[in-house]
């Protein structure tokens, strides 16, 4: 069920406001049309002393939480301008993406109200959900399990009773009753890719890619982990990357003996598995830069953190294949996209998930991904954000002086500048 829900989730991207509102409305109908039966189940489980108390303490607040999300979801979804003058001039913004499939192990106290409150945030944020009830709520669990299929496709909402729920690879898992001041939980994150579109100017972008990868010796948090290249242009892209790396300036960062041995192990494993390793020695000294062609998923460098100047290259036939390759892994911290095809760029933005996405050489910054924490927002919007992946969309700099100012400010991956002029 988990993988079926995840496949349906990706097939439904981007999740429209209409789809989110429809799910919220159906959740309200499920509760509103079956309020009496739900109250009886709550009384039978000992959660409420009588039906009147159950209605006042759980049913009515549950409907109110869903109604608030229904009223606010389209407003909450709107992208917000990033902070800072330079970011605003570039057109950077923050958008809220769904996380994926949420697993919820429900608490025993106020279970119906908790269900509704969680569903309000989960559905408003565009996610799908699997619910497991606490053993102290058997009647409610049985009733909701019977009602849910009449209002939801199991690929949207499923009630499960199987063991091992907490061990499933959900995109986000809630296994305990959340505290009022609990911050938004972090979702899983995978390797950060570079997507090179067929419309990209390889000669211009190669230096930028190398600079991002070489920052802090390849150990910067948002350094790209692998590159996705069109299958008929991979050799040309590798050649340009090699030239850019050979022209790069010396590195200030140094690797320890342990780090160097680990990188050697990754390169030896890549060669043994059919990879072609091309090494560029910078003309002005510094660490060698390694380009690995024909990288495959069974290579250690595609499984472990690289944390060094090694860039594997994977091929794709269509942009949809590149996006599918990213989706097979947990959503990355950052995606780098290079290309002049506006339709393709929009497709990547809508069909991929990440904490940041950098367009045509922009420098992403996780530190700036969030908005002002002191902003006055209601509980409903707070829950929406809790179940959203906050993504910073970084546009390329407008003028040279803006880029220099941004680098002096320490934006993103540091002071890396393109190596190929």
């Amino acid at each position: 069920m988990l993988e079926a829900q995840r496949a349906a989730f990706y097939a439904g991207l981007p999740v429209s406001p209409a789809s989110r509102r429809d799910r919220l409305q159906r959740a309200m109908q499920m509760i509103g049309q079956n309020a009496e039966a739900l109250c009886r189940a709550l009384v039978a489980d000992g959660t409420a002393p009588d039906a009147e108390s159950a209605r006042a303490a759980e049913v009515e607040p549950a409907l109110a939480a869903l109604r608030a999300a229904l009223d606010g979801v389209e407003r909450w979804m709107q992208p917000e301008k990033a902070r800072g003058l330079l970011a605003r001039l570039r057109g950077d913004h923050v958008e809220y993406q769904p996380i994926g499939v949420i697993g919820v192990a429900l608490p025993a106290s106020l279970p119906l109200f908790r269900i509704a409150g969680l569903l309000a945030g989960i559905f408003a944020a565009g996610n799908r959900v699997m619910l497991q009830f606490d053993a102290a709520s058997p009647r409610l669990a049985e009733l909701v399990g019977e009602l849910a299929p009449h209002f939801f496709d199991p690929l949207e909402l499923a009630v499960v009773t199987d063991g091992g729920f907490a061990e499933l690879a959900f995109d986000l898992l809630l296994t305990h009753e959340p505290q009022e001041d609990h911050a938004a939980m972090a979702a899983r994150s995978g390797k950060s890719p570079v997507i090179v579109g067929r419309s990209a100017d390889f000669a211009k972008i190669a230096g930028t890619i190398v600079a991002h990868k070489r920052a802090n010796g390849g150990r910067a948090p948002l350094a790209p982990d692998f590159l996705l290249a069109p299958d008929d242009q991979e050799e040309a892209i590798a050649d340009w990357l090699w030239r850019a790396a050979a022209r790069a300036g010396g590195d200030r960062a140094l690797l320890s003996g342990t780090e160097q041995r680990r990188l050697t192990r990754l390169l030896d494993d890549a060669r043994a598995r059919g990879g072609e390793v091309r090494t560029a020695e910078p003309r002005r000294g510094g660490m060698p830069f390694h380009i690995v062609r024909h990288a495959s998923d069974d290579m250690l460098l595609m499984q472990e953190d690289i944390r060094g100047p090694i860039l594997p290259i994977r091929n794709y036939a269509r942009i949809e294949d590149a996006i599918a390759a990213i989706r097979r892994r947990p959503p990355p911290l950052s995606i780098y996209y290079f290309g002049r095809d506006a339709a393709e760029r929009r497709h990547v933005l809508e069909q991929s998930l990440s904490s940041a996405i950098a367009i045509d050489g922009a420098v992403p910054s996780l530190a700036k991904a969030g908005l002002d924490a002191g902003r006055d927002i209601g509980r409903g919007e707070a829950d929406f954000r809790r179940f959203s992946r906050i993504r910073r969309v970084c546009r390329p700099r407008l003028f040279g002086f803006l880029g220099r100012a941004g680098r002096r400010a320490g934006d993103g991956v540091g002071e890396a500048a393109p190596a190929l002029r």
Side-chain angles (χ1 to χ4, degrees):
M1 177 57 70
L2 173 59
E3 291 308 316
Q5 280 202 355
R6 183 170 286 132
F9 166 73
Y10 278 119
L13 289 178
V15 187
S16 68
S19 294
R20 302 178 195 217
R21 288 175 56 84
D22 178 54
R23 291 170 187 166
L24 290 166
Q25 287 173 334
R26 281 183 278 142
M28 291 181 65
Q29 291 168 359
M30 183 175 70
I31 294 174
Q33 294 174 14
N34 299 279
E36 292 184 6
L38 289 167
C39 287
R40 288 195 297 270
L42 291 167
V43 173
D45 287 336
T47 301
D50 52 58
E52 185 177 349
S53 298
R55 180 179 289 275
E58 300 224 43
V59 174
E60 292 178 2
L63 292 172
L66 290 163
R67 189 176 296 109
L70 186 64
D71 293 341
V73 61
E74 293 192 52
R75 184 177 71 256
W76 303 338
M77 288 176 62
Q78 296 303 309
E80 301 191 25
K81 291 183 178 179
R83 291 177 291 167
L85 176 60
L86 296 181
R88 288 175 180 269
L89 288 174
R90 287 194 304 260
D92 290 9
H93 63 272
V94 173
E95 61 186 20
Y96 298 93
Q97 296 185 300
I99 290 175
V101 180
I102 311 294
V104 179
L106 290 160
S109 62
L110 296 175
L112 183 62
F113 173 57
R114 294 281 200 268
I115 292 173
L118 292 171
L119 290 182
I122 288 170
F123 285 153
N127 300 292
R128 295 170 187 248
V129 63
M130 293 173 62
L131 303 176
Q132 186 175 65
F133 283 78
D134 189 87
S137 305
R139 306 295 194 285
L140 183 64
E142 181 181 6
L143 178 58
V144 175
E146 293 173 355
L147 294 175
H150 295 287
F151 294 87
F152 292 96
D153 186 314
L155 298 181
E156 297 174 303
L157 181 152
V159 179
V160 298
T161 57
D162 300 338
F165 185 80
E167 282 71 47
L168 295 176
F170 292 107
D171 297 301
L172 184 65
L173 174 65
L174 302 181
T175 58
H176 57 83
E177 188 167 349
Q179 301 298 316
E180 292 297 323
D181 59 350
H182 196 281
M185 291 186 174
R188 301 181 304 156
S189 61
K191 287 180 173 289
S192 296
V194 176
I195 302 175
V196 177
R198 282 187 166 82
S199 61
D201 186 330
F202 307 148
K204 290 183 178 180
I205 70 172
T208 303
I209 294 171
V210 170
H212 286 333
K213 182 60 181 174
R214 289 172 66 97
N216 192 27
R219 294 168 296 191
L222 294 181
D225 293 300
F226 66 100
L227 184 145
L228 290 161
D231 51 10
D232 57 344
Q233 297 171 327
E234 184 224 357
E235 185 173 2
I237 293 172
D239 288 343
W240 280 108
L241 289 170
W242 186 90
R243 293 188 185 99
R247 296 181 184 182
D251 292 306
R252 287 176 293 177
L254 296 175
L255 299 180
S256 67
T258 299
E259 289 174 315
Q260 290 174 345
R261 287 189 293 272
R262 182 176 55 79
L263 295 184
T264 298
R265 176 175 62 87
L266 296 179
L267 292 171
D268 289 343
D269 175 79
R271 293 187 183 97
R273 298 180 187 276
E276 176 189 312
V277 179
R278 299 186 62 182
T279 300
E281 298 282 352
R283 295 176 182 174
R284 287 176 281 173
M287 290 185 292
F289 189 92
H290 307 281
I291 301 163
V292 181
R293 294 184 59 195
H294 315 305
S296 56
D297 285 335
D298 61 345
M299 292 181 182
L300 293 178
L301 52 76
M302 293 300 296
Q303 300 172 14
E304 301 181 5
D305 289 336
I306 296 176
R307 300 194 307 278
I310 300 176
L311 185 62
I313 300 180
R314 301 289 304 272
N315 292 341
Y316 70 86
R318 304 174 306 149
I319 194 63
E320 290 81 6
D321 300 325
I323 293 172
I326 297 171
R327 287 179 175 180
R328 285 194 288 270
R329 300 171 176 272
L333 289 177
S334 183
I335 294 174
Y336 296 81
Y337 171 79
F338 293 88
R340 293 171 288 188
D341 185 327
E344 181 180 84
R345 182 187 306 123
R346 173 47 53 187
H347 189 65
V348 171
L349 284 166
E350 291 181 346
Q351 296 296 318
S352 66
L353 304 177
S354 61
S355 298
I357 185 164
I359 306 298
D360 286 337
V363 185
S365 172
L366 277 185
K368 297 182 179 181
L371 296 175
D372 187 353
R375 223 183 121 208
D376 184 18
I377 60 175
R379 177 60 185 268
E381 186 171 0
D383 286 341
F384 164 83
R385 293 189 180 190
R386 180 186 182 202
F387 294 113
S388 295
R389 186 182 301 276
I390 300 175
R391 172 195 256 185
R392 181 179 175 89
V393 179
C394 305
R395 301 285 180 179
R397 61 186 185 234
L398 296 177
F399 305 104
F401 78 89
L402 291 182
R404 290 191 296 273
R407 288 196 296 274
R408 284 196 298 270
D411 193 344
V413 296
E415 298 177 357
L420 185 60
R421 302 296 180 184

